[in-house]
Amino acid sequence: MTTLIVLFNLKSGADVAAYEKWAVETDIATVRSLKTCDGFDLFRCEGTLAGDSAPYDYVEIISLSDLAAFREEAQSETMRGVAGQFREFADNPVFMVTEQVAA
């Protein structure tokens, strides 16, 4: 199984409440409806274990059954629209494709 980890900060001036409402109602709901999505969790970063501020505002963890098929699903009109809305909130997100080493 492939896990997509997305690290990002909100753009300067972005409304946190508006982003989180959109994330729950649109982004997460839409991605979870994809055939290739086995799970999607969103985390707000509170800081580091050492007590410093976190380098990112949010972390998304998306479990995928098939990366190639997900890439195809991501090209749908609906997903392109969601991605465009995401770019309105997120400042230079980092998308990391990962494979689990141990459970």
Side-chain angles (χ1 to χ4, degrees):
M1 177 172 35
T2 300
T3 301
L4 181 60
I5 298 174
V6 186
L7 308 170
F8 63 97
N9 291 311
L10 293 181
K11 289 183 177 179
S12 178
D15 183 302
V16 171
Y19 163 70
E20 291 184 2
K21 182 178 189 311
W22 172 83
V24 170
E25 294 177 358
T26 302
D27 190 23
I28 295 169
T30 303
V31 174
R32 283 183 178 166
S33 74
L34 299 175
K35 293 176 186 173
T36 56
C37 180
D38 291 336
F40 183 154
D41 296 304
L42 174 65
F43 300 88
R44 182 184 326 108
C45 299
E46 301 292 326
T48 68
L49 189 58
D52 301 319
S53 60
Y56 294 100
D57 296 331
Y58 293 92
V59 176
E60 293 179 348
I61 299 178
I62 305 168
S63 299
L64 304 171
S65 60
D66 183 326
L67 180 60
F70 171 77
R71 286 181 170 143
E72 289 180 27
E73 284 186 300
Q75 295 305 311
S76 72
E77 184 176 334
T78 298
M79 282 300 297
R80 285 195 315 265
V82 170
Q85 294 168 0
F86 177 72
R87 286 190 299 273
E88 291 177 17
F89 288 109
D91 184 21
N92 298 313
V94 177
F95 293 82
M96 297 185 301
V97 176
T98 69
E99 291 291 333
Q100 188 173 19
V101 174

